[in-house]
Each structure stands twice: as structure tokens, then as C-alpha cells.
Amino acid sequence: MKKNWESPSSQESDAGTTRERLIKAGIEEFYEKGYKQASLRKICAACGVTTGAFYFHFSGKQQLFSAIVEPVIEQWTCLGNTLADRELKDQSTALDNDRAMMDLELRHRREILILLEKSSGSGKENFLDNLKQGLKKHFMTHFTTAIGHVPNPEFIQLLVDMRIYGNIQLLKGNYNRAQTLFFNDLLAHYAEGGFTYLIQNCKERL
């Protein structure tokens, strides 16, 4: 009589597949409902698994949320730091840097929008504020280098808000990839022109 058994590698593969399906369903639920309103029961139902199967892979909603957003945060932060250093050394790389960042954001569009707009109540609910602080620090350094003195921090905060919320609108827009990258390029050119104008004509007032 033939024994009914599965190899350890097959069992690991099934477990990996279930975990991946839970993550995929979690992205959809968090994106639609936000962290606070997201339902583990609906996530499990979307995957066709029991809540027991869910708890085999994750301790709860927060751990699932972290599994979704933390790899993206790591990639986003690493790339952002690399591009910021590159731009400080060579301003001519600004447009290419913007394209590289938007390319990553498009690959993880829903995860990033979850972080920026739908993470209230989670362990990452301060992510947007931290992002603003980091970008403000970069802008302050960039302008200080260009104009020879520390710029008005309130004005720099306005620029940061414009930059971040412009990106959010691009990611939320009903555009295909080519359109999004095209609009991103236009905004980058606009920002570059504005930066050049400010350092040439408003240096003493900044």
C-alpha cells in the first residue's frame, strides 16, 4: 500500500505559498480599508485559509503589516540615501535620481500608499512624519550648500510638503506607467527650474 506523505521541501513550499498569499491579500485589504479597519477574517477568506493557518505564519495583524511594508521601507530608505548623496555631489543627476525613485515607487505603489495614507494605528503610523523630516534635512543641506547660508526652515517645509504630496497624487492617479514617469519627469524639470531660480534670484531672501 502506497504511503501518503509529503517531503519536507514540499511542506515548506506549501507553507511559503500560503504566507505569500496572505501577504498579497493583506496588501489588498490594507489598501482598501487601512490598517485600523482591515479584517484578518477577510484576509483569510480571500486566501481560502483558516484563521488558524494565519496564526501559523503571523502572530497578528501588526506582524502581517510589518511583513508587507518593512521590505519596502528598507529598499526605499536605502535608495533614497544613495540618491541624496549622489545629488549632493552632482546636481546634474537630479532628474535621473527622480526617475529611479519613482520607478521603485511604482513597483511598490500600493505598499507605499498604505504607508503614507493608511497606516494609522499601526507601528508605522509615524512613517510619513519621519519621511518629511528626512526630506527636509536633505533639502536644508542642499539649499545651504547652494546659497551659502541656512535657508528659512518654514519655506523648506513647504517645498517638502509639495514634493511628497505631488508624489502621492501621481501614485494615486489613474495613469499607466509611461504616463506616470512622463509626469514625474515634468515635475522634476519644474522643481529643478524653481531651484535654479531661487538660488539665482532669491538667495538673500531665503
Side-chain angles (χ1 to χ4, degrees):
M1 183 175 179
K2 195 172 183 179
K3 291 183 179 180
N4 183 18
W5 62 278
E6 293 183 5
S7 68
S9 61
S10 175
Q11 292 173 353
E12 290 171 6
S13 177
D14 289 344
T17 299
T18 299
R19 187 176 190 278
E20 289 162 8
R21 284 191 291 135
L22 286 167
I23 287 175
K24 184 176 179 181
I27 291 173
E28 296 302 313
E29 181 71 5
F30 290 131
Y31 182 74
E32 292 297 327
K33 305 287 182 58
Y35 179 82
K36 282 185 178 179
Q37 301 301 320
S39 165
L40 290 183
R41 185 173 297 176
K42 289 184 179 179
I43 291 171
C44 292
C47 297
V49 301
T50 64
T51 53
F54 173 88
Y55 286 111
F56 176 80
H57 295 281
F58 302 102
S59 61
K61 184 162 68 171
Q62 178 59 60
Q63 191 177 45
L64 173 62
F65 189 82
S66 295
I68 289 168
V69 300
E70 284 183 357
V72 178
I73 292 174
E74 183 177 355
Q75 292 180 56
W76 205 13
T77 302
C78 182
L79 180 61
N81 290 338
T82 298
L83 297 180
D85 290 342
R86 181 184 175 195
E87 190 168 331
L88 284 173
K89 294 175 183 176
D90 184 358
Q91 176 61 29
S92 69
T93 64
L95 296 178
D96 285 340
N97 294 342
D98 277 347
R99 291 188 193 107
M101 184 58 76
M102 179 53 70
D103 187 65
L104 182 144
E105 291 174 5
L106 284 174
R107 293 199 304 273
H108 301 285
R109 186 178 71 86
R110 293 202 165 193
E111 296 97 311
I112 288 173
L113 287 174
I114 288 168
L115 273 168
L116 297 179
E117 295 194 317
K118 301 169 185 288
S119 60
S120 177
S122 77
K124 303 297 182 184
E125 65 181 357
N126 294 323
F127 181 82
L128 178 56
D129 289 337
N130 294 335
L131 177 64
K132 288 182 178 182
Q133 291 174 14
L135 192 56
K136 183 177 181 179
K137 181 179 179 181
H138 168 64
F139 276 30
M140 291 289 288
T141 300
H142 200 45
F143 271 90
T144 299
T145 300
I147 65 179
H149 64 85
V150 177
N152 184 314
E154 293 179 354
F155 175 69
I156 297 301
Q157 186 63 61
L158 288 173
L159 294 181
V160 168
D161 290 342
M162 288 171 60
R163 177 67 172 270
I164 289 177
Y165 289 112
N167 265 33
I168 289 174
Q169 292 308 308
L170 272 180
L171 292 174
K172 290 171 68 174
N174 188 26
Y175 314 122
N176 61 35
R177 179 182 177 79
Q179 288 174 313
T180 303
L181 291 174
F182 172 67
F183 290 146
N184 185 67
D185 280 356
L186 291 182
L187 290 172
H189 281 292
Y190 180 79
E192 180 65 18
F195 174 76
T196 301
Y197 178 86
L198 288 173
I199 64 174
Q200 289 179 351
N201 300 285
C202 305
K203 183 182 298 188
E204 302 304 322
R205 299 169 59 192
L206 285 175

